[in-house]
Amino acid sequence: MEIKEFKRVNRVVALAVLLISAITYLMTIEPTASFWDCGEFIASSYKLEVGHPPGNPVFQLFARLFTLFGDAQNAAMLVNAMSALCSAFTIFFLYLTIVHFARRIFEIKGSEGVAIKLSTAIAIYGAGVVGSLAYCWSDTFWFSAVEGEVYAMSSLFTAIVFWAMLEWEEEAHQPYANRWIVLIAFL
């Protein structure tokens, strides 16, 4: 299997993992605020007020965008939905990271370029799906994914930065590869 075909199939599987995790989290979000910092984060996001130190202004700005789609009665559910989507995208990037590492271990470099055996490709996709969905359904991550707390967004930014590092490493010798470094710096 050529790398182009491998990457095409990989995108489809990654989107399936994203969809599975998003459905899982959105079906199980908390309808209101949990009994701890979540209520404060939701209220300060809805009103764009200052939360407790050190706060998280990025979380509050994104949460405010989500609360624009509803009224005060639904603010908690909308912020919880934002956390669920952030967590689903974290699982998406985790899948891509697992597949990247596994592909790098098993790719065969020959005179005609880089290739992967079909059976190996299926094993790599399977490892990515199992690894990312195991984390998706782990108790600690799932608990943070369905409530309006900063952990889901923090995990998302960490996952994107790590994935961008791998993309930069893959393209480091090509022109304009430094755009990945700039993205990492901004994130």
Side-chain angles (χ1 to χ4, degrees):
M1 174 180 264
E2 292 184 24
I3 291 298
K4 284 186 179 182
E5 184 180 353
F6 178 86
K7 288 183 177 182
R8 184 182 55 79
V9 174
N10 188 40
R11 280 187 226 115
V12 172
V13 177
L15 289 174
V17 167
L18 173 65
L19 186 64
I20 290 168
S21 58
I23 289 171
T24 298
Y25 295 143
L26 288 172
M27 288 180 66
T28 59
I29 60 171
E30 301 220 9
T32 61
S34 301
F35 186 68
W36 61 316
D37 291 350
C38 302
E40 177 189 1
F41 279 120
I42 291 166
S44 61
S45 297
Y46 182 71
K47 297 280 191 175
L48 279 182
E49 297 172 345
V50 178
H52 70 275
N56 193 330
V58 173
F59 174 86
Q60 291 180 316
L61 288 174
F62 278 105
R64 177 59 183 148
L65 290 174
F66 272 75
T67 61
L68 292 175
F69 296 103
D71 56 1
Q73 298 291 340
N74 295 319
M77 184 182 61
L78 292 168
V79 173
N80 293 341
M82 181 197 71
S83 288
L85 291 174
C86 286
S87 295
F89 277 100
T90 301
I91 299 303
F92 171 78
F93 285 108
L94 175 61
Y95 168 83
L96 293 176
T97 300
I98 292 170
V99 168
H100 177 87
F101 281 130
R103 179 183 57 83
R104 293 297 299 260
I105 291 171
F106 292 108
E107 65 189 9
I108 302 167
K109 295 181 181 176
S111 60
E112 298 177 10
V114 179
I116 296 177
K117 292 185 206 173
L118 179 61
S119 59
T120 304
I122 292 170
I124 291 171
Y125 299 140
V129 168
V130 169
S132 60
L133 290 181
Y135 189 62
C136 171
W137 295 322
S138 68
D139 183 54
T140 304
F141 191 75
W142 195 340
F143 183 75
S144 296
V146 296
E147 62 184 6
E149 250 300 349
V150 297
Y151 304 122
M153 185 172 284
S154 175
S155 295
L156 174 61
F157 277 102
T158 303
I160 293 172
V161 166
F162 198 82
W163 172 79
M165 288 171 22
L166 296 175
E167 290 296 310
W168 171 78
E169 181 262 339
E170 185 109 350
E171 298 178 10
H173 60 280
Q174 297 177 2
Y176 306 110
N178 288 341
R179 67 179 187 242
W180 292 108
I181 301 294
V182 173
L183 174 65
I184 291 166
F186 277 116
L187 291 173

